[in-house]
Amino acid sequence: MSKLANVWVFSDNVERYAELMAGARQWGEHVHLIVQGSEQANQVKPLGADEIIVLEAPSGLQRVENYAETIAAQMQEHAGMLLMPATKRAKSLGARLSIQLNAAMVNDAISVTLEDDTVFAEHRMYGGLAFGKEKIKSALAIITLAPGVLEPVAENASHTCPVVSAAYIAPLHEIMCQERHAKSVSSVDLSKAKRVVGVGRGLVAQHDLEMVRQLAAVLGAEVGCSRPIAEGENWMERERYIGVSGVLLKSDLYLTLGISGQIQHMVGGNGAKVIVAINKDKKAPIFNYADYGLVGDIYKVVPALIEHLSR
């Protein structure tokens, strides 16, 4: 497979660099990591980049979208690809760069291939019912990668590379943070979990999540959920939502509790090696995807499982 001469990598979440680097190394001859500040440069240096570009931070009130002009200056007159995570901030930054660099952009890519020096990006369409493969004809391609698509690269503590600074180029109109309010932030990354227990509309009340967490604890699993639990009821953090616009699982086990199994959810859950479904509706679509299924009330089955597995 041919490679692009240059791949740039930027992330607003430092934890995503290792996964993005896996793609950058696969698709590019020379990999340039773009980071915010010297502290991040030290964190990502073991990932194996050929160069690290440090963006100057004029103030702590900056939003990543304001770096569009600065990043564009690093990429102008070069062909290649900019790889970023599929986060809201990165997508917004990518949209600005797409205009400034006259570069085609594909969001939420699940695969990238190179054919005759042409970039093709595949992404889900129609709520996960179909896949689209886009041919990028511009000299520069901008791709935001869905989480969990690639295995993160291994770190090499002895790796060194040049570190250069990029002077901040202020945009005509800056987006500035005026004030901050503390919120509960989840540190979970379900795309890396080996076992996941997922809960859906079959859960009647928020306080019943406690029994789900108890089951997850005895299984050594993380807890995830369907979209209504995270974005409808707001019972769980957005980071725990499994689905077409949420997390894509790559776990060894996915145990679903009261999840109907609509395609939008299963796009996120289908990557699990083994799917076990518990639902009181024997006609629930989830049973079409499950390797093992049990028709039953989760309020009876889950306590029984906890008791049995705790022995």
Side-chain angles (χ1 to χ4, degrees):
M1 181 182 71
S2 61
K3 289 188 176 183
L4 299 171
N6 294 284
V7 173
W8 293 265
V9 178
F10 175 79
S11 178
D12 58 327
N13 178 356
V14 71
E15 300 296 330
R16 291 293 305 278
Y17 275 109
E19 182 183 350
L20 295 170
M21 268 297 297
R25 273 290 164 222
Q26 180 180 341
W27 304 314
E29 291 285 354
H30 296 89
V31 178
H32 315 267
L33 284 190
I34 305 172
V35 300
Q36 300 177 71
S38 57
E39 183 178 341
Q40 284 194 7
N42 293 329
Q43 287 180 268
V44 303
K45 188 175 291 186
L47 299 179
D50 298 302
E51 177 188 46
I52 297 175
I53 302 170
V54 180
L55 302 177
E56 294 180 1
S59 77
L61 303 178
Q62 289 292 336
R63 302 293 83 187
V64 297
E65 293 92 327
N66 294 335
Y67 288 113
E69 284 75 7
T70 307
I71 294 174
Q74 302 297 315
M75 300 175 60
Q76 282 175 347
E77 300 180 5
H78 294 283
M81 179 197 305
L82 171 62
L83 196 60
M84 298 189 291
T87 62
K88 291 180 180 179
R89 289 282 179 198
K91 289 178 183 179
S92 180
L93 172 63
R96 287 191 172 202
L97 285 166
S98 178
I99 297 298
Q100 294 180 23
L101 295 169
N102 193 28
M105 180 176 179
V106 176
N107 282 319
D108 301 295
I110 58 170
S111 73
V112 176
T113 55
L114 298 177
E115 301 174 20
D116 299 325
D117 296 323
T118 301
V119 178
F120 291 83
E122 189 173 3
H123 62 108
R124 293 182 176 85
M125 302 172 65
Y126 309 120
L129 294 174
F131 295 90
K133 187 175 183 180
E134 310 296 343
K135 179 180 180 180
I136 298 180
K137 296 183 178 181
S138 56
L140 278 168
I142 300 175
I143 306 290
T144 64
L145 199 67
V149 170
L150 299 170
E151 289 292 334
V153 296
E155 293 189 4
N156 178 7
S158 63
H159 175 76
T160 60
C161 65
V163 179
V164 299
S165 296
Y168 179 68
I169 302 174
L172 184 61
H173 300 289
E174 290 183 310
I175 300 174
M176 306 298 286
C177 173
Q178 296 299 313
E179 58 181 315
R180 289 189 174 95
H181 298 276
K183 70 173 184 178
S184 175
V185 177
S186 172
S187 61
V188 69
D189 186 350
L190 292 185
S191 67
K192 297 179 182 177
K194 294 299 182 183
R195 299 175 182 177
V196 177
V197 176
V199 64
R201 288 182 181 273
L203 200 72
V204 175
Q206 184 175 9
H207 61 77
D208 294 332
L209 282 169
E210 183 56 34
M211 72 172 183
V212 178
R213 295 190 180 102
Q214 290 178 24
L215 177 58
V218 297
L219 287 172
E222 292 285 357
V223 179
C225 63
S226 61
R227 184 171 185 172
I229 299 298
E231 297 189 345
E233 302 294 347
N234 294 314
W235 289 350
M236 300 187 73
E237 304 97 323
R238 177 65 174 73
E239 291 83 359
R240 295 184 183 272
Y241 155 45
I242 300 163
V244 64
S245 56
V247 178
L248 309 181
L249 297 183
K250 299 176 71 175
S251 55
D252 294 331
L253 170 68
Y254 181 34
L255 171 59
T256 72
L257 307 174
I259 291 178
S260 63
Q262 298 300 322
I263 183 64
Q264 290 84 357
H265 178 78
M266 295 314 301
V267 162
N270 256 340
K273 294 178 182 178
V274 176
I275 299 175
V276 179
I278 301 173
N279 197 299
K280 64 182 180 181
D281 179 7
K282 64 181 181 180
K283 296 182 179 180
I286 189 69
F287 292 119
N288 295 324
Y289 300 94
D291 298 286
Y292 303 94
L294 173 63
V295 178
D297 187 343
I298 62 172
Y299 284 90
K300 296 179 180 179
V301 175
V302 171
L305 283 174
I306 294 170
E307 180 182 1
H308 180 77
L309 295 170
S310 299
R311 291 174 184 172

